[in-house]
Every structure is written in C-alpha cells, then in structure tokens.
C-alpha cells in the first residue's frame, strides 16, 4: 500500500536549537498534508494543514512562527520546530492525502525529545 | 465537527470477538464514519469506513445504526496485534482535515 515516511523517526536536541522533521509520500503525490502532535497518553492534536505551493493553515493556538511548515513539492512537507524547549517534546505525526483518490495515509511518527 | 463518545478502554481475550462502540449523535448527513487505530509508538492506520450500510473488510466489520447516531467496530477474532487505540471519526471526506477524539484503548490478553 501507499507509504508515508517520516524522518527522523526520533531526535534528541538541546533546548534552543531548531529541529526539522520531513514527511514524504513515497509512491503517490499529495497536494495536502497534515501535521499532528501527540503527547503521552493523549490523542492526536491537529497542528496545521499543509498545501503544496502555498502557506500552511494553522489550527487555533498553534504558533506559526514556532512551527514552520514548508510544502515545496507534491511529495514532501517539512515541519521545523524553532527554538525548541522541553515542552515541545512530543510525538509528531504527518499524514498525506493522495491527490486524485483523496485517500489519507499516515507516517510512522517522529519522536522529539528536547533536553 | 461531530463529537464522538467512546469508552476510554476495553479488554478482550485473544481469539474472541470485540465490539467497540462509538456514539456520534451530531453526525451530519454527509459524514462518513471512519475508524482508525494506532498501535503503540506508531502513526494511525486506516481500519474501515462507511456511510449507512454495514461494511466488511479483511481487518474488521462496521455496523452502523439505522439512525446513524452510533456505530460499532467489530473485530471478529482479536489477536495480540490488535491491541491499540481505536478512533471513531465522522468525516465528510474530500480534502477536509481529520480530527481525532480520545479513542478507546483496547487491551488483548493471551
């Protein structure tokens, strides 16, 4: 089946640094991708909708200057957590909606730990 | 977005059937009922979806109430690999965003 790959699968960084997470659709094109954040024992919280070639749409309460989203091609979206702090430690998950069929596929998630 | 109510947790024994309920009384007439599940430390995976009629696939069956205000995901024979959080999500389809509720954490005992 269709695959969405996230990289890195886990990352540890120091407080104040920036971290980039990639989300790639490996065998289909995705005009729209979504980014979620999930804290331990909680559900997925939608952060933003990423549309290829345009600015991302952020959910209420999500700081767009802190969580930079770029969707420069039909197979790649990136999430950059800028000036990360320990409270940004979380499981970040992307999903990609296949252009045409509209099917939605999820990545394996990226676990960020900020020290 | 339609609100959903699911049990926080359920338990099952291996090889027994599991019925996971979901109430979605505010579902709109055009919303499909989607079920996803999330295994530990992984992203969600699609299970099944339906509109009005009951649906079957290789993973599960979906029974939808006649008034569409509730549905039940049925795992016919639970395996240890089915231990996961199951999410019921009304969704209008297309390119709209998918909003997750709290889900039901299913434990499967050997």
């Amino acid at each position: 089946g269709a695959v969405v790959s996230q990289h890195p699968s886990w990352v540890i960084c120091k407080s104040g640094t920036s971290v980039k997470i990639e989300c790639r659709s490996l065998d289909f094109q995705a005009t729209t991708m979504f980014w979620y954040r999930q804290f331990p024992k909680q559900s997925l919280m939608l952060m933003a909708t990423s549309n290829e070639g345009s600015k991302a749409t952020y959910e209420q309460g999500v700081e767009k200057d802190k969580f930079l989203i770029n969707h420069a091609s039909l197979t790649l979206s990136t999430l950059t957590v800028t000036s990360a702090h320990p409270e940004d430690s979380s499981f970040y998950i992307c999903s990609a909606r296949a252009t045409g069929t509209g099917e939605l596929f999820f990545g394996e998630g990226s676990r960020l730990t900020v020290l | 977005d339609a609100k959903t109510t699911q049990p926080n947790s359920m338990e099952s024994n291996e090889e027994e059937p599991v019925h996971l309920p979901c109430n979605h009384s505010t579902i709109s007439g055009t919303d499909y009922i989607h079920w996803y599940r999330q295994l530990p430390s992984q992203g969600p995976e699609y299970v099944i979806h339906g509109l009005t009629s009951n649906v079957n696939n290789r993973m599960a069956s979906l029974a939808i109430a006649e008034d569409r205000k509730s549905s039940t995901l049925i795992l016919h024979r639970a395996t240890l690999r089915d231990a996961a959080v199951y999410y019921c999500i009304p969704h209008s389809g297309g390119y709209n965003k998918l909003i997750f509720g709290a889900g039901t954490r299913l434990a499967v005992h050997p």
Side-chain angles (χ1 to χ4, degrees), chain A residues 47-65:
Chain A
M47 300 175 68
T49 302
S50 167
N51 294 300
E52 186 265 337
S54 63
K55 289 183 179 179
T57 304
Y58 290 81
E59 294 299 304
Q60 192 172 8
V62 178
E63 301 173 59
K64 63 179 188 324
D65 294 330

Side-chain angles (χ1 to χ4, degrees), chain B residues 41-97:
Chain B
S41 300
Q42 294 187 29
E45 65 173 340
Y46 167 81
V47 178
I48 200 167
H49 77 282
L51 185 62
T52 55
S53 303
N54 295 343
V55 185
N56 300 294
N57 66 21
R58 64 173 181 82
M59 288 181 73
S61 295
L62 177 60
I64 301 172
E66 200 170 326
D67 63 6
R68 292 193 359 107
K69 293 186 177 181
S70 65
S71 61
T72 302
L73 179 71
I74 302 164
L75 306 179
H76 294 286
R77 290 181 65 194
T79 68
L80 297 178
R81 285 210 59 227
D82 290 323
V85 179
Y86 287 78
Y87 298 97
C88 153
I89 308 173
H91 187 249
S92 57
Y95 287 78
N96 296 318
K97 53 195 178 185

Side-chain angles (χ1 to χ4, degrees), chain A residues 24-49:
Chain A
R24 291 182 186 274
S25 55
L26 296 186
D27 51 1
F28 64 96
Q29 293 186 332
T31 308
T32 303
M33 291 184 175
F34 303 91
W35 286 97
Y36 295 82
R37 180 168 56 178
Q38 184 175 34
F39 293 110
K41 302 295 184 185
Q42 294 187 24
S43 185
L44 287 77
M45 185 196 80
L46 181 66
M47 300 175 68
T49 302

